[in-house]
Amino acid sequence: MDEQSVESIAEVFRCFICMEKLRDARLCPHCSKLCCFSCIRRWLTEQRAQCPHCRAPLQLRELVNCRWAEEVTQQLDTLQLCSLTKHEDNDKDKCENHHEKLSVFCWTCKKCICHQCALWGGMHGGHTFKPLVEIYEQHVTKVKEEVGKLRRRLMELISLVQEVERNVEAVRAAKDERVREIRNAVEMMIARLDNQLKNKLITLMGQKTSLTQETELLESLLQEVEHQ
């Protein structure tokens, strides 16, 4: 779509009251003209209860809410921006003095010029020229070589990152294994201590029982002696 067509469509989606881009668009049910809701509301409340375009009687409740208009205006803005960018890019490819396409590279000035600058331009007299296509191809080749170097470096970095990740996993696995060994050793030590404690308790309980029995026997003997 060319710039003129985009501009023609953009005109349709401008408010016919303020002539600006539509905001909260409304449509007149009589003439199908689009306008901003704030504009038409102000007109109907402060001026006359009729459409300012077709003069048909009109109330606020009769207006059609055009929610799709905002999407269309956004698309138009995008098209206009692309058209403007393309136009600027085309201007960059033309000579500022002769408005012709840049086709020659002045090797002396390191500058792109048109063929008229090379033939008749006094500023480039006696300079060395090369076809712009040839210079472009040289630059493309150089850029491709640099891109190749960057890709190889990228692969090296990816390999190094993977190696580091493997080392990290190995360290984590070694840590986990060491933790398991320490936990098992501690659990075995605790079990051994529990077993020793149990044996000690059994011994002490046996001694307690023996002493209790001896105490009871002595008390019985004392009672008998006291009685006699």
Side-chain angles (χ1 to χ4, degrees), residues 80-110:
Q80 288 175 331
L81 180 60
C82 293
S83 177
L84 179 61
T85 304
K86 184 178 180 181
H87 181 68
E88 291 176 351
D89 291 340
N90 290 335
D91 288 341
K92 291 178 182 178
D93 293 337
K94 291 184 178 180
C95 175
E96 297 178 355
N97 298 323
H98 304 103
H99 301 288
E100 292 192 7
K101 185 178 180 181
L102 302 175
S103 58
V104 180
F105 183 77
C106 178
W107 191 260
T108 306
C109 299
K110 306 296 182 184

mmCIF file of all heavy atoms in Angstrom, residues 80-110:
data_model
loop_
_atom_site.group_PDB
_atom_site.id
_atom_site.type_symbol
_atom_site.label_atom_id
_atom_site.label_comp_id
_atom_site.label_asym_id
_atom_site.label_seq_id
_atom_site.Cartn_x
_atom_site.Cartn_y
_atom_site.Cartn_z
ATOM 1 N N GLN A 80 1.836 4.227 8.399
ATOM 2 C CA GLN A 80 2.419 5.535 8.146
ATOM 3 C C GLN A 80 3.853 5.607 8.613
ATOM 4 O O GLN A 80 4.710 6.195 7.948
ATOM 5 C CB GLN A 80 1.575 6.616 8.843
ATOM 6 C CG GLN A 80 0.220 6.861 8.175
ATOM 7 C CD GLN A 80 -0.634 7.845 8.955
ATOM 8 O OE1 GLN A 80 -0.515 7.951 10.170
ATOM 9 N NE2 GLN A 80 -1.494 8.561 8.264
ATOM 10 N N LEU A 81 4.146 4.967 9.779
ATOM 11 C CA LEU A 81 5.516 4.958 10.282
ATOM 12 C C LEU A 81 6.431 4.179 9.343
ATOM 13 O O LEU A 81 7.550 4.606 9.046
ATOM 14 C CB LEU A 81 5.540 4.325 11.677
ATOM 15 C CG LEU A 81 6.914 4.231 12.352
ATOM 16 C CD1 LEU A 81 7.515 5.616 12.522
ATOM 17 C CD2 LEU A 81 6.811 3.535 13.687
ATOM 18 N N CYS A 82 5.945 3.038 8.839
ATOM 19 C CA CYS A 82 6.748 2.253 7.898
ATOM 20 C C CYS A 82 6.983 3.018 6.606
ATOM 21 O O CYS A 82 8.076 2.987 6.039
ATOM 22 C CB CYS A 82 6.051 0.920 7.599
ATOM 23 S SG CYS A 82 5.968 -0.194 9.013
ATOM 24 N N SER A 83 5.934 3.701 6.138
ATOM 25 C CA SER A 83 6.065 4.491 4.907
ATOM 26 C C SER A 83 7.074 5.610 5.084
ATOM 27 O O SER A 83 7.900 5.881 4.209
ATOM 28 C CB SER A 83 4.700 5.063 4.511
ATOM 29 O OG SER A 83 4.811 5.878 3.363
ATOM 30 N N LEU A 84 7.035 6.276 6.258
ATOM 31 C CA LEU A 84 7.974 7.361 6.531
ATOM 32 C C LEU A 84 9.399 6.833 6.613
ATOM 33 O O LEU A 84 10.333 7.428 6.064
ATOM 34 C CB LEU A 84 7.589 8.051 7.838
ATOM 35 C CG LEU A 84 8.487 9.212 8.299
ATOM 36 C CD1 LEU A 84 8.477 10.324 7.260
ATOM 37 C CD2 LEU A 84 8.048 9.742 9.643
ATOM 38 N N THR A 85 9.569 5.686 7.263
ATOM 39 C CA THR A 85 10.905 5.093 7.379
ATOM 40 C C THR A 85 11.448 4.697 6.017
ATOM 41 O O THR A 85 12.620 4.915 5.712
ATOM 42 C CB THR A 85 10.846 3.851 8.290
ATOM 43 O OG1 THR A 85 10.306 4.226 9.549
ATOM 44 C CG2 THR A 85 12.219 3.256 8.479
ATOM 45 N N LYS A 86 10.576 4.129 5.175
ATOM 46 C CA LYS A 86 10.998 3.739 3.829
ATOM 47 C C LYS A 86 11.391 4.956 3.010
ATOM 48 O O LYS A 86 12.379 4.944 2.275
ATOM 49 C CB LYS A 86 9.865 2.964 3.150
ATOM 50 C CG LYS A 86 10.235 2.428 1.783
ATOM 51 C CD LYS A 86 9.093 1.633 1.199
ATOM 52 C CE LYS A 86 9.463 1.093 -0.188
ATOM 53 N NZ LYS A 86 8.350 0.323 -0.782
ATOM 54 N N HIS A 87 10.613 6.019 3.156
ATOM 55 C CA HIS A 87 10.921 7.244 2.421
ATOM 56 C C HIS A 87 12.267 7.817 2.862
ATOM 57 O O HIS A 87 13.074 8.259 2.044
ATOM 58 C CB HIS A 87 9.808 8.269 2.655
ATOM 59 C CG HIS A 87 10.013 9.560 1.917
ATOM 60 N ND1 HIS A 87 9.936 9.650 0.536
ATOM 61 C CD2 HIS A 87 10.325 10.807 2.382
ATOM 62 C CE1 HIS A 87 10.169 10.905 0.161
ATOM 63 N NE2 HIS A 87 10.409 11.626 1.258
ATOM 64 N N GLU A 88 12.526 7.791 4.175
ATOM 65 C CA GLU A 88 13.799 8.287 4.680
ATOM 66 C C GLU A 88 14.954 7.424 4.201
ATOM 67 O O GLU A 88 16.022 7.924 3.858
ATOM 68 C CB GLU A 88 13.763 8.318 6.211
ATOM 69 C CG GLU A 88 12.815 9.395 6.766
ATOM 70 C CD GLU A 88 12.736 9.332 8.275
ATOM 71 O OE1 GLU A 88 13.282 8.357 8.841
ATOM 72 O OE2 GLU A 88 12.139 10.246 8.874
ATOM 73 N N ASP A 89 14.739 6.089 4.158
ATOM 74 C CA ASP A 89 15.790 5.196 3.674
ATOM 75 C C ASP A 89 16.104 5.450 2.207
ATOM 76 O O ASP A 89 17.271 5.409 1.788
ATOM 77 C CB ASP A 89 15.373 3.731 3.873
ATOM 78 C CG ASP A 89 15.328 3.358 5.350
ATOM 79 O OD1 ASP A 89 15.968 4.078 6.155
ATOM 80 O OD2 ASP A 89 14.654 2.376 5.692
ATOM 81 N N ASN A 90 15.061 5.717 1.406
ATOM 82 C CA ASN A 90 15.281 6.013 -0.013
ATOM 83 C C ASN A 90 16.071 7.302 -0.177
ATOM 84 O O ASN A 90 16.923 7.416 -1.062
ATOM 85 C CB ASN A 90 13.944 6.110 -0.746
ATOM 86 C CG ASN A 90 13.258 4.754 -0.862
ATOM 87 O OD1 ASN A 90 13.933 3.719 -0.840
ATOM 88 N ND2 ASN A 90 11.948 4.744 -0.978
ATOM 89 N N ASP A 91 15.793 8.300 0.665
ATOM 90 C CA ASP A 91 16.532 9.561 0.589
ATOM 91 C C ASP A 91 17.996 9.369 0.956
ATOM 92 O O ASP A 91 18.878 10.038 0.416
ATOM 93 C CB ASP A 91 15.894 10.602 1.521
ATOM 94 C CG ASP A 91 14.543 11.094 0.964
ATOM 95 O OD1 ASP A 91 14.298 10.916 -0.238
ATOM 96 O OD2 ASP A 91 13.750 11.640 1.754
ATOM 97 N N LYS A 92 18.262 8.440 1.888
ATOM 98 C CA LYS A 92 19.643 8.201 2.283
ATOM 99 C C LYS A 92 20.467 7.607 1.152
ATOM 100 O O LYS A 92 21.678 7.740 1.125
ATOM 101 C CB LYS A 92 19.682 7.261 3.500
ATOM 102 C CG LYS A 92 19.145 7.891 4.783
ATOM 103 C CD LYS A 92 19.182 6.884 5.915
ATOM 104 C CE LYS A 92 18.614 7.484 7.193
ATOM 105 N NZ LYS A 92 18.603 6.496 8.301
ATOM 106 N N ASP A 93 19.795 6.896 0.224
ATOM 107 C CA ASP A 93 20.504 6.256 -0.886
ATOM 108 C C ASP A 93 20.707 7.186 -2.072
ATOM 109 O O ASP A 93 21.167 6.750 -3.129
ATOM 110 C CB ASP A 93 19.722 5.015 -1.358
ATOM 111 C CG ASP A 93 19.713 3.934 -0.298
ATOM 112 O OD1 ASP A 93 20.615 3.949 0.546
ATOM 113 O OD2 ASP A 93 18.791 3.097 -0.319
ATOM 114 N N LYS A 94 20.373 8.455 -1.926
ATOM 115 C CA LYS A 94 20.503 9.412 -3.023
ATOM 116 C C LYS A 94 21.530 10.485 -2.686
ATOM 117 O O LYS A 94 21.742 10.819 -1.525
ATOM 118 C CB LYS A 94 19.149 10.055 -3.333
ATOM 119 C CG LYS A 94 18.145 9.087 -3.947
ATOM 120 C CD LYS A 94 16.858 9.790 -4.317
ATOM 121 C CE LYS A 94 15.882 8.824 -4.970
ATOM 122 N NZ LYS A 94 14.605 9.504 -5.348
ATOM 123 N N CYS A 95 22.135 11.018 -3.727
ATOM 124 C CA CYS A 95 23.119 12.077 -3.565
ATOM 125 C C CYS A 95 22.435 13.360 -3.111
ATOM 126 O O CYS A 95 21.371 13.735 -3.629
ATOM 127 C CB CYS A 95 23.851 12.298 -4.895
ATOM 128 S SG CYS A 95 24.993 13.686 -4.873
ATOM 129 N N GLU A 96 23.030 14.045 -2.136
ATOM 130 C CA GLU A 96 22.442 15.281 -1.619
ATOM 131 C C GLU A 96 22.489 16.395 -2.643
ATOM 132 O O GLU A 96 21.626 17.288 -2.643
ATOM 133 C CB GLU A 96 23.181 15.716 -0.354
ATOM 134 C CG GLU A 96 23.058 14.733 0.794
ATOM 135 C CD GLU A 96 23.853 15.187 2.014
ATOM 136 O OE1 GLU A 96 24.556 16.225 1.895
ATOM 137 O OE2 GLU A 96 23.780 14.520 3.057
ATOM 138 N N ASN A 97 23.502 16.365 -3.540
ATOM 139 C CA ASN A 97 23.664 17.444 -4.514
ATOM 140 C C ASN A 97 22.878 17.211 -5.799
ATOM 141 O O ASN A 97 22.249 18.133 -6.331
ATOM 142 C CB ASN A 97 25.151 17.616 -4.867
ATOM 143 C CG ASN A 97 25.971 18.003 -3.646
ATOM 144 O OD1 ASN A 97 25.516 18.758 -2.789
ATOM 145 N ND2 ASN A 97 27.186 17.471 -3.556
ATOM 146 N N HIS A 98 22.891 15.960 -6.316
ATOM 147 C CA HIS A 98 22.266 15.677 -7.602
ATOM 148 C C HIS A 98 21.007 14.829 -7.484
ATOM 149 O O HIS A 98 20.344 14.577 -8.485
ATOM 150 C CB HIS A 98 23.268 14.958 -8.519
ATOM 151 C CG HIS A 98 24.535 15.717 -8.706
ATOM 152 N ND1 HIS A 98 25.710 15.395 -8.054
ATOM 153 C CD2 HIS A 98 24.821 16.825 -9.463
ATOM 154 C CE1 HIS A 98 26.674 16.232 -8.413
ATOM 155 N NE2 HIS A 98 26.167 17.121 -9.265
ATOM 156 N N HIS A 99 20.687 14.355 -6.283
ATOM 157 C CA HIS A 99 19.474 13.552 -6.033
ATOM 158 C C HIS A 99 19.428 12.316 -6.932
ATOM 159 O O HIS A 99 18.364 11.907 -7.413
ATOM 160 C CB HIS A 99 18.214 14.398 -6.221
ATOM 161 C CG HIS A 99 18.166 15.578 -5.314
ATOM 162 N ND1 HIS A 99 17.945 15.506 -3.962
ATOM 163 C CD2 HIS A 99 18.362 16.913 -5.590
ATOM 164 C CE1 HIS A 99 17.982 16.707 -3.426
ATOM 165 N NE2 HIS A 99 18.249 17.593 -4.390
ATOM 166 N N GLU A 100 20.593 11.750 -7.186
ATOM 167 C CA GLU A 100 20.684 10.521 -7.951
ATOM 168 C C GLU A 100 21.189 9.398 -7.049
ATOM 169 O O GLU A 100 21.773 9.650 -5.993
ATOM 170 C CB GLU A 100 21.628 10.691 -9.152
ATOM 171 C CG GLU A 100 21.070 11.630 -10.214
ATOM 172 C CD GLU A 100 21.870 11.543 -11.500
ATOM 173 O OE1 GLU A 100 22.751 10.664 -11.582
ATOM 174 O OE2 GLU A 100 21.617 12.343 -12.412
ATOM 175 N N LYS A 101 20.993 8.179 -7.502
ATOM 176 C CA LYS A 101 21.367 7.025 -6.694
ATOM 177 C C LYS A 101 22.876 6.973 -6.502
ATOM 178 O O LYS A 101 23.650 7.193 -7.430
ATOM 179 C CB LYS A 101 20.889 5.737 -7.377
ATOM 180 C CG LYS A 101 21.142 4.488 -6.539
ATOM 181 C CD LYS A 101 20.604 3.255 -7.238
ATOM 182 C CE LYS A 101 20.872 2.009 -6.390
ATOM 183 N NZ LYS A 101 20.372 0.786 -7.048
ATOM 184 N N LEU A 102 23.306 6.669 -5.279
ATOM 185 C CA LEU A 102 24.725 6.517 -4.981
ATOM 186 C C LEU A 102 25.238 5.220 -5.608
ATOM 187 O O LEU A 102 24.762 4.141 -5.276
ATOM 188 C CB LEU A 102 24.956 6.506 -3.472
ATOM 189 C CG LEU A 102 24.463 7.743 -2.698
ATOM 190 C CD1 LEU A 102 24.636 7.532 -1.206
ATOM 191 C CD2 LEU A 102 25.198 8.995 -3.142
ATOM 192 N N SER A 103 26.211 5.343 -6.532
ATOM 193 C CA SER A 103 26.689 4.164 -7.254
ATOM 194 C C SER A 103 28.203 4.070 -7.309
ATOM 195 O O SER A 103 28.736 3.085 -7.821
ATOM 196 C CB SER A 103 26.137 4.173 -8.683
ATOM 197 O OG SER A 103 26.529 5.370 -9.351
ATOM 198 N N VAL A 104 28.908 5.090 -6.798
ATOM 199 C CA VAL A 104 30.368 5.127 -6.870
ATOM 200 C C VAL A 104 30.916 5.356 -5.466
ATOM 201 O O VAL A 104 30.329 6.086 -4.674
ATOM 202 C CB VAL A 104 30.856 6.243 -7.826
ATOM 203 C CG1 VAL A 104 32.383 6.259 -7.895
ATOM 204 C CG2 VAL A 104 30.259 6.069 -9.208
ATOM 205 N N PHE A 105 32.061 4.714 -5.190
ATOM 206 C CA PHE A 105 32.730 4.917 -3.909
ATOM 207 C C PHE A 105 34.035 5.648 -4.157
ATOM 208 O O PHE A 105 34.904 5.165 -4.893
ATOM 209 C CB PHE A 105 32.996 3.580 -3.209
ATOM 210 C CG PHE A 105 33.610 3.716 -1.846
ATOM 211 C CD1 PHE A 105 32.834 4.074 -0.761
ATOM 212 C CD2 PHE A 105 34.970 3.508 -1.653
ATOM 213 C CE1 PHE A 105 33.393 4.203 0.500
ATOM 214 C CE2 PHE A 105 35.545 3.641 -0.402
ATOM 215 C CZ PHE A 105 34.744 3.990 0.678
ATOM 216 N N CYS A 106 34.180 6.833 -3.546
ATOM 217 C CA CYS A 106 35.419 7.593 -3.648
ATOM 218 C C CYS A 106 36.394 7.031 -2.629
ATOM 219 O O CYS A 106 36.224 7.229 -1.423
ATOM 220 C CB CYS A 106 35.155 9.084 -3.412
ATOM 221 S SG CYS A 106 36.668 10.085 -3.482
ATOM 222 N N TRP A 107 37.408 6.310 -3.145
ATOM 223 C CA TRP A 107 38.370 5.665 -2.268
ATOM 224 C C TRP A 107 39.203 6.697 -1.507
ATOM 225 O O TRP A 107 39.635 6.458 -0.389
ATOM 226 C CB TRP A 107 39.259 4.746 -3.084
ATOM 227 C CG TRP A 107 40.111 3.843 -2.254
ATOM 228 C CD1 TRP A 107 41.418 3.998 -1.949
ATOM 229 C CD2 TRP A 107 39.690 2.643 -1.617
ATOM 230 N NE1 TRP A 107 41.856 2.974 -1.164
ATOM 231 C CE2 TRP A 107 40.804 2.115 -0.935
ATOM 232 C CE3 TRP A 107 38.482 1.945 -1.557
ATOM 233 C CZ2 TRP A 107 40.759 0.932 -0.215
ATOM 234 C CZ3 TRP A 107 38.441 0.780 -0.836
ATOM 235 C CH2 TRP A 107 39.560 0.285 -0.169
ATOM 236 N N THR A 108 39.417 7.843 -2.133
ATOM 237 C CA THR A 108 40.230 8.881 -1.502
ATOM 238 C C THR A 108 39.498 9.501 -0.323
ATOM 239 O O THR A 108 40.066 9.692 0.754
ATOM 240 C CB THR A 108 40.585 9.975 -2.525
ATOM 241 O OG1 THR A 108 41.198 9.378 -3.674
ATOM 242 C CG2 THR A 108 41.536 11.010 -1.922
ATOM 243 N N CYS A 109 38.209 9.809 -0.507
ATOM 244 C CA CYS A 109 37.408 10.458 0.545
ATOM 245 C C CYS A 109 36.712 9.456 1.455
ATOM 246 O O CYS A 109 36.136 9.845 2.475
ATOM 247 C CB CYS A 109 36.372 11.385 -0.077
ATOM 248 S SG CYS A 109 37.053 12.727 -1.067
ATOM 249 N N LYS A 110 36.728 8.153 1.041
ATOM 250 C CA LYS A 110 36.005 7.120 1.800
ATOM 251 C C LYS A 110 34.528 7.500 1.922
ATOM 252 O O LYS A 110 33.931 7.472 2.996
ATOM 253 C CB LYS A 110 36.599 6.929 3.201
ATOM 254 C CG LYS A 110 38.089 6.633 3.220
ATOM 255 C CD LYS A 110 38.413 5.322 2.548
ATOM 256 C CE LYS A 110 39.913 5.028 2.625
ATOM 257 N NZ LYS A 110 40.287 3.795 1.897
#
